[in-house]
Amino acid sequence: MIEIKRMIAAAIADKIRMINENSGLDAAAVFEMLEYPPDTKMGDLALPCFKLSKSLRRSPVQIAETIAEGFELRGVAEASAVNGYLNIRISNDYLAEKILPEILEKKEKYGAPDLGEGKTVVLDYCSPNLAKPFHIGHLGTTVIGHSLKKLHEFAGYKCVGINYVGDWGTQFGKMMVAYKKWGDKKTVEEGGVDALVDLYVRINNAISDDPSLADEARAEFCKMEQGDEENLALWRWLVEKSLKANDETLKQLDVSFDSYKGESAYTELMPAQVQKLRDCNLLKIDDGASIVDLEKYGMPPCLILKRDGSSLYPTRDIAAAVDRMDMYNFEKCIYVTSNQQILHFQQWFKVVELMGYDWYDKLVHVPYGTVSLNGAKLATRTGNVVLLKDLFAAAIDKSRSIMEEKNPDLRGRDDIAEAVGVGAIVFYYLFNNRIKDINFNLEDALSFEGNTGPYVQYTYARTCSILEKVKESYGGKVVISCDEESALLKTLSQYEERVRNAIRDYEPSVIARFILDVAFAYNKFYHNCQILSAEDENVRGTRILLTEATKNVLGSAFSLICLKKTERI
Ligand code: ARG
């Protein structure tokens, strides 16, 4: 649709020029104004002419009428003026001759915008603190971050996904105390995530009862910072176990990283940046600590060094950004974290700018809202945190029992239950604007009806099962014979634009919504039109091709938002 929309915008801009040569409205401006009307009875594209009335000094009604009069363009079936709107309808011929063949020809490349050639995007996401539970709060950063990576890759960028793990911090001191008191190698090796979580819960409970244990933990951490070999070895091992535990959950999402360079890697690179801050006269001593004053910019100071000279979270982020710029020469470096860190990023981005790094404006923070679980029944083991692994397990269990009931003979049920269970969580989560707070309700997420993962995965499986029955590919004439067909094609044809919008706004929900639009359009078509049993050969062939096109686009869009393709459900 993007191509015809551009042509329409250019044609409208020509007409506008006839009304007023100096309106300053070009094709690009008109393109931005064109809308997809919510009710397609009005048309496939609409131009709200009130937006033009100021610069053209005419009423919207007049403008719409003038543009509509004699409007002619290949691919446009009708242009009409209604109440100050110019409504445009795309012709079925255009859909049959241009859109459908293009989807089928380009296959998994269909919809890919040409934006990123030769450019690199670094994405910092997931990034949990190690030696702590990997919990439901990490879902957002992980799936939003990974979707943004997939979207950028789709658009031709070279992408580097970094799991900037918090592998240096006082939580390691606590775990060391816990391990030395109650742990042993065998239990942790064999017990995996659960053994680590047990130690974590036990030490935190113990500290609430006896605060002197917190001093012990700090002492262990300090010992390690000073190079104690025994503690360093224990740290290395805890990092490894913790990463491995998280990986099991990441695998269920099909998420992996190009780099795991975490906070500890920046101990060595930090002093150079601190020195640069000093050279730029940006550091101020405040009660023994070193800070950058940001009052002028309406922000509290950015803390660089503690009183004891040890570094802080922003310092490490600054050093890491410089390192990434050196390594990857990025076009954008994207950080996905909860909205609680908005100020942190605003502060250190400003500091980077003040340091004179001219790439400061390539740093992008993408925040998201908080996630909670209705009833929080899964939190029993850990007090108040819900492990991501437990959330997935509960969803997989539920989806397995739904399938046992709905389709008792399903082959490969376990894998499908995992894809659907995890997919349900992902879709439920990504369907909302990222900045919104979300309260999970597993029942809703797993419903097969409504705006859900199972519903769209089921639709994908439906296309697969139809196509499985088709013996020969159809190479005959494409004929669009009903509204459901053209509506489906019009929806599919919006793919590239939706991808562009998702990238522009760093908003994977745009793709989740698109997937749902396609699923609705396909199911409407499926219910109202015979496909394999259509009598007319051309009609049947066209409908099979439409099913194939839907499968292509759905499959491609699924992969953009960490949703697995399910050929059977
Ligand atoms: N480890 C941090 C946390 O759990 C998130 C890190 C985000 N990335 C960054 N470069 N600061 O809160």
Side-chain angles (χ1 to χ4, degrees):
M1 194 67 96
I2 200 163
E3 225 172 289
I4 181 106
K5 196 171 154 188
R6 282 197 188 113
M7 291 181 329
I8 291 168
I12 294 175
D14 283 346
K15 286 225 155 191
I16 289 177
R17 220 165 289 127
M18 275 155 46
I19 302 174
N20 177 350
E21 234 176 290
N22 309 313
S23 74
L25 289 159
D26 58 4
V30 175
F31 183 91
E32 291 305 321
M33 285 178 203
L34 282 169
E35 293 172 356
Y36 290 99
D39 181 358
T40 46
K41 280 197 203 82
M42 308 295 291
D44 300 317
L45 284 167
L47 183 73
C49 295
F50 66 86
K51 292 191 176 172
L52 305 172
S53 59
K54 207 169 155 205
S55 45
L56 296 182
R57 284 198 221 101
R58 285 179 198 215
S59 76
V61 172
Q62 272 178 321
I63 297 170
E65 277 169 4
T66 316
I67 300 176
E69 205 186 296
F71 190 95
E72 246 180 66
L73 190 71
R74 201 191 142 240
V76 170
E78 192 192 340
S80 55
V82 182
N83 298 333
Y85 275 80
L86 175 74
N87 291 335
I88 287 174
R89 190 170 302 287
I90 307 297
S91 75
N92 282 349
D93 287 349
Y94 185 81
L95 298 172
E97 287 158 22
K98 179 83 179 96
I99 303 282
L100 183 59
E102 193 185 340
I103 300 175
L104 296 170
E105 241 161 64
K106 290 193 174 163
K107 296 203 170 71
E108 67 277 7
K109 294 224 169 58
Y110 180 74
D114 186 6
L115 294 170
E117 214 197 293
K119 298 179 194 153
T120 300
V121 168
V122 173
L123 298 106
D124 174 320
Y125 63 101
C126 190
S127 308
N129 292 330
L130 299 183
K132 280 189 175 182
F134 193 46
H135 58 79
I136 185 168
H138 295 112
L139 180 69
T141 169
T142 306
V143 296
I144 295 171
H146 201 66
S147 302
L148 293 179
K149 182 177 183 212
K150 291 287 195 167
L151 278 160
H152 281 86
E153 272 171 355
F154 192 47
Y157 291 93
K158 181 171 177 286
C159 290
V160 185
I162 303 182
N163 195 351
Y164 178 69
V165 285
D167 54 358
W168 199 252
T170 43
Q171 75 268 24
F172 282 94
K174 286 190 194 171
M175 281 300 269
M176 281 171 193
V177 174
Y179 182 77
K180 287 180 187 179
K181 272 191 194 309
W182 310 299
D184 63 84
K185 207 161 185 123
K186 189 159 167 267
T187 321
V188 174
E189 292 285 358
E190 284 170 10
V193 192
D194 294 319
L196 288 172
V197 169
D198 286 346
L199 285 176
Y200 174 84
V201 173
R202 202 162 163 189
I203 186 67
N204 281 300
N205 289 338
I207 289 176
S208 330
D209 293 341
D210 173 8
S212 76
L213 280 173
D215 298 330
E216 235 176 87
R218 263 189 292 276
E220 292 288 2
F221 185 68
C222 220
K223 233 166 97 183
M224 173 168 81
E225 279 199 305
Q226 277 148 22
D228 177 79
E229 241 334 296
E230 188 197 336
N231 276 10
L232 275 172
L234 188 52
W235 167 72
R236 250 174 251 124
W237 182 71
L238 282 170
V239 166
E240 184 198 315
K241 292 293 135 199
S242 197
L243 276 174
K244 202 165 147 224
N246 295 352
D247 262 354
E248 285 170 29
T249 305
L250 291 174
K251 225 181 254 150
Q252 291 183 298
L253 285 167
D254 242 340
V255 168
S256 59
F257 293 89
D258 306 296
S259 160
Y260 285 83
K261 200 164 178 179
E263 292 195 39
S264 72
Y266 292 98
T267 330
E268 278 165 35
L269 293 170
M270 244 161 359
Q273 296 313 313
V274 175
Q275 190 54 44
K276 184 165 163 84
L277 281 162
R278 225 172 257 131
D279 296 344
C280 299
N281 255 335
L282 288 166
L283 275 196
K284 253 173 77 175
I285 305 296
D286 184 58
D287 198 18
S290 306
I291 60 159
V292 177
D293 187 1
L294 297 174
E295 206 186 333
K296 248 202 261 168
Y297 310 99
M299 287 185 271
C302 183
L303 308 177
I304 301 295
L305 296 175
K306 286 195 241 175
R307 284 170 77 132
D308 63 6
S310 58
S311 67
L312 285 146
Y313 185 43
T315 331
R316 286 190 285 269
D317 259 328
I318 294 169
V322 174
D323 179 47
R324 289 171 188 174
M325 190 31 133
D326 282 350
M327 281 181 71
Y328 307 115
N329 188 21
F330 54 75
E331 174 72 18
K332 283 189 277 191
C333 183
I334 297 171
Y335 300 83
V336 187
T337 80
S338 93
N339 55 12
Q340 284 149 11
Q341 300 199 23
I342 289 179
L343 180 63
H344 161 73
F345 283 94
Q346 282 173 344
Q347 286 176 306
W348 77 260
F349 286 0
K350 189 51 140 184
V351 173
V352 168
E353 179 183 351
L354 295 172
M355 288 169 90
Y357 289 117
D358 60 1
W359 43 264
Y360 70 92
D361 56 350
K362 297 185 171 179
L363 303 170
V364 182
H365 182 221
V366 176
Y368 59 85
T370 54
V371 184
S372 52
L373 184 69
N374 209 0
K377 280 190 213 76
L378 300 171
T380 44
R381 275 194 305 149
T382 44
N384 54 5
V385 266
V386 179
L387 299 186
L388 208 43
K389 143 185 184 308
D390 291 348
L391 177 66
F392 287 171
I396 293 168
D397 260 3
K398 242 189 193 107
S399 80
R400 190 181 295 114
S401 45
I402 295 173
M403 273 165 214
E404 272 161 13
E405 199 189 300
K406 287 200 175 205
N407 190 356
D409 304 325
L410 185 66
R411 277 174 296 130
R413 188 189 295 145
D414 283 345
D415 287 345
I416 299 171
E418 178 169 322
V420 173
V422 174
I425 305 264
V426 168
F427 194 83
Y428 190 82
Y429 182 73
L430 287 182
F431 189 68
N432 295 284
N433 275 4
R434 64 178 154 77
I435 207 67
K436 256 180 69 178
D437 293 339
I438 293 184
N439 191 3
F440 260 100
N441 180 326
L442 275 188
E443 306 279 320
D444 289 354
L446 279 159
S447 160
F448 272 67
E449 281 133 45
N451 308 345
T452 66
Y455 172 73
V456 298
Q457 281 175 319
Y458 188 76
T459 309
Y460 181 81
R462 174 170 276 163
T463 62
C464 295
S465 87
I466 292 172
L467 293 171
E468 242 171 53
K469 296 188 192 110
V470 177
K471 298 280 165 310
E472 264 171 58
S473 61
Y474 176 71
K477 190 172 160 39
V478 172
V479 287
I480 307 268
S481 56
C482 65
D483 287 349
E484 285 83 352
E485 294 166 334
S486 53
L488 174 61
L489 270 174
K490 285 170 193 168
T491 307
L492 293 173
S493 74
Q494 286 183 30
Y495 191 29
E496 179 175 341
E497 239 180 306
R498 304 282 195 111
V499 170
R500 283 176 180 267
N501 293 348
I503 292 175
R504 181 196 63 203
D505 300 339
Y506 304 99
E507 189 63 84
S509 65
V510 171
I511 302 300
R513 281 161 196 274
F514 171 70
I515 288 173
L516 195 71
D517 289 346
V518 172
F520 273 149
Y522 185 77
N523 286 325
K524 193 161 178 212
F525 157 73
Y526 174 85
H527 288 298
N528 294 347
C529 312
Q530 293 176 319
I531 301 176
L532 296 177
S533 52
E535 261 170 43
D536 183 284
E537 192 194 332
N538 293 338
V539 170
R540 186 170 62 244
T542 301
R543 292 181 177 172
I544 290 169
L545 293 182
L546 277 169
T547 300
E548 202 179 315
T550 304
K551 180 181 170 217
N552 277 358
V553 173
L554 274 184
S556 159
F558 279 14
S559 77
L560 294 179
I561 61 160
C562 311
L563 203 59
K564 288 200 183 122
K565 292 187 264 188
T566 39
E567 310 216 325
R568 296 184 303 278
I569 278 195

